[in-house]
Amino acid sequence: MLMGQGDPVSKAMLKLMEGKAPTNVAINGTIDVTPTDKDSVLTSLKIDLKSDATTNSMINHTTANITASLDQMGKIEFDAEEIYAESGDLYIKIDGLAEAMNDLSTMTQGASLQNSMVTDCVDNDGTSTNCLSEDMTVDMAPEESGLAVFDAFSGVIEIIDGEWLRVSVDQLKAATDSIDSNNSLSCLTDVAQEAKNSSNSIAELYRKYPFIGSTTEGVTVASKNSPVYRVMFDREKFTSYSDALKDSTIVKKAISCLGDDNVTINESAVDDLDKLPNIYVEVDKDNNFSRMYFETALKSASSSTCECDDYRECDCEDEDDAEETVVANMKVDLGLTYPSSINVAEPTEYQDFVTVLQQIMMSSYGTTDETVIAE
């Protein structure tokens, strides 16, 4: 295992902490999710992701092509797009949602029809097989095919599909103020900016305790542009780094933003390192991360399970004893490049988010009278 200043991964990490990494980054990659339940209708979900962003601000332009494969039915596909502009306005657009929902309703209708036309038949030897019901009519009512469910959302989909929705900087601020009534978020934002300006102190701690290293042993991930390294962690150095970081001025200021009653320092952070998936990276000739790859299992949240008898007397399993269940496997493969400049253009045609929200609510109420919503 490589550690310290000679390690390419540690070099790239130190460059980030020093604030010397490029401010413009372009991300291009895929996220693949595969459910583990063999009876799941969703067999796979793929997201093709592209993003141009500046690391010293929130300015970015991100696009995602989303493809869902459905068991024995086919695929549905739509696009999502997001822009955070220099003005502070946020823009969101979904393309192809109406077509995707129409495809889904058609698939659902076909699957419902096919399943309804198949009945159990018993052969002469007593074997049960599937056969077609001769008296089954092909015509089905929308309620029976599931189309009525999609019809309920058709008005909303027509309003938002293919349209840029703008959340203005004032609307974002109002939403933030309502959530962040004690100004914790704005306080943390100020601390984060201060941390950027004093990155040398954080980098100095990492130089003293370089807890991130790498190895090429046992790496099976295929290379794209540079050698692939598996990220390794030195537990002892990470413990020393964490202890020193907790005592730093920046962290103490962040804790004060939240208030002492709201903060608990996770003392098991070192043990949590063992729970991380294997992370693989590529590093370019300028000591910048050029790729990140990992696979991980998505688990359902732990919850108590109860068994009840006919008299509603229940025996519940304690939440602490309940085991998490793996519901899907996820693979993330992201490439990173660093262009000299990024152009994030604001849409010139858009609808106001609040206005659209009112339209959606009126559509749900089945009225065009805004006074009904106000009441």
Side-chain angles (χ1 to χ4, degrees):
M1 179 175 67
L2 299 173
M3 280 285 178
Q5 296 182 0
D7 172 46
V9 174
S10 189
K11 285 182 179 180
M13 194 66 194
L14 180 59
K15 191 173 181 179
L16 277 174
M17 291 186 173
E18 289 177 332
K20 296 180 180 179
T23 56
N24 300 323
V25 58
I27 301 171
N28 191 338
T30 58
I31 301 173
D32 293 287
V33 179
T34 305
T36 56
D37 184 358
K38 63 180 181 179
D39 296 323
S40 172
V41 174
L42 178 68
T43 57
S44 68
L45 179 70
K46 181 176 182 179
I47 302 174
D48 289 308
L49 186 69
K50 292 183 179 181
S51 182
D52 294 333
T54 58
T55 58
N56 58 357
S57 72
M58 294 177 61
I59 297 173
N60 76 89
H61 181 192
T62 302
T63 62
N65 174 262
I66 301 160
T67 304
S69 298
L70 307 176
D71 186 31
Q72 299 182 1
M73 288 193 284
K75 297 180 179 180
I76 60 171
E77 183 178 352
F78 61 93
D79 297 311
E81 195 167 356
E82 175 267 341
I83 289 176
Y84 188 87
E86 187 175 0
S87 64
D89 292 341
L90 174 67
Y91 298 86
I92 302 170
K93 182 172 71 168
I94 301 178
D95 263 326
L97 184 60
E99 183 178 353
M101 296 307 292
N102 285 334
D103 291 343
L104 181 59
S105 64
T106 301
M107 294 175 191
T108 304
Q109 184 181 25
S112 178
L113 174 63
Q114 183 180 13
N115 291 336
S116 299
M117 292 181 67
V118 175
T119 60
D120 285 336
C121 296
V122 180
D123 295 337
N124 293 332
D125 61 356
T127 304
S128 177
T129 59
N130 290 333
C131 64
L132 293 178
S133 173
E134 296 180 357
D135 61 350
M136 175 62 66
T137 175
V138 175
D139 294 330
M140 299 178 66
E143 292 78 10
E144 295 173 332
S145 65
L147 290 176
V149 177
F150 302 113
D151 288 342
F153 296 98
S154 61
V156 174
I157 293 171
E158 289 177 3
I159 292 174
I160 65 174
D161 190 31
E163 298 285 344
W164 279 109
L165 303 180
R166 186 193 71 165
V167 185
S168 70
V169 61
D170 291 335
Q171 292 166 350
L172 284 171
K173 186 178 184 305
T176 302
D177 290 344
S178 65
I179 297 172
D180 186 35
S181 57
N182 59 353
N183 294 321
S184 296
L185 185 58
S186 59
C187 178
L188 287 171
T189 302
D190 293 339
V191 172
Q193 186 59 48
E194 184 179 343
K196 288 182 180 180
N197 298 333
S198 61
S199 57
N200 286 336
S201 61
I202 298 176
E204 195 59 44
L205 284 179
Y206 182 75
R207 287 193 193 94
K208 190 174 182 179
Y209 309 109
F211 60 89
I212 293 179
S214 67
T215 182
T216 56
E217 295 182 6
V219 173
T220 57
V221 178
S223 169
K224 288 190 175 181
N225 299 302
S226 305
V228 179
Y229 299 94
R230 178 186 169 189
V231 178
M232 305 293 287
F233 299 95
D234 185 307
R235 293 170 63 91
E236 184 176 342
K237 290 181 179 178
F238 180 70
T239 300
S240 299
Y241 177 84
S242 299
D243 291 341
L245 192 62
K246 290 173 187 176
D247 293 331
S248 67
T249 303
I250 293 295
V251 171
K252 288 181 178 179
K253 286 184 177 180
I255 292 175
S256 67
C257 288
L258 300 174
D260 294 338
D261 294 338
N262 298 326
V263 178
T264 53
I265 302 295
N266 186 4
E267 301 295 343
S268 62
V270 176
D271 294 331
D272 291 340
L273 289 177
D274 297 332
K275 300 177 183 179
L276 291 175
N278 290 334
I279 302 172
Y280 301 88
V281 297
E282 294 183 19
V283 179
D284 66 20
K285 59 182 178 60
D286 296 318
N287 295 324
N288 297 314
F289 289 111
S290 58
R291 184 189 178 197
M292 181 180 68
Y293 176 99
F294 67 88
E295 298 181 21
T296 187
L298 303 179
K299 300 179 180 180
S300 62
S302 296
S303 60
S304 59
T305 56
C306 301
E307 294 183 0
C308 304
D309 57 25
D310 293 339
Y311 300 99
R312 306 306 299 165
E313 293 289 337
C314 301
D315 180 20
C316 295
E317 178 181 313
D318 190 278
E319 289 188 7
D320 294 335
D321 297 331
E323 295 184 359
E324 291 184 329
T325 303
V326 176
V327 296
N329 293 312
M330 181 173 69
K331 179 174 70 175
V332 177
D333 192 355
L334 302 177
L336 298 93
T337 56
Y338 304 92
S340 58
S341 62
I342 285 178
N343 179 31
V344 177
E346 286 193 62
T348 56
E349 296 183 4
Y350 54 84
Q351 296 190 60
D352 183 75
F353 175 77
V354 173
T355 302
V356 171
L357 186 61
Q358 290 175 342
Q359 292 176 348
I360 292 174
M361 294 177 67
M362 286 188 291
S363 176
S364 301
Y365 278 100
T367 180
T368 58
D369 186 356
E370 295 189 16
T371 59
V372 175
I373 307 301
E375 295 174 356

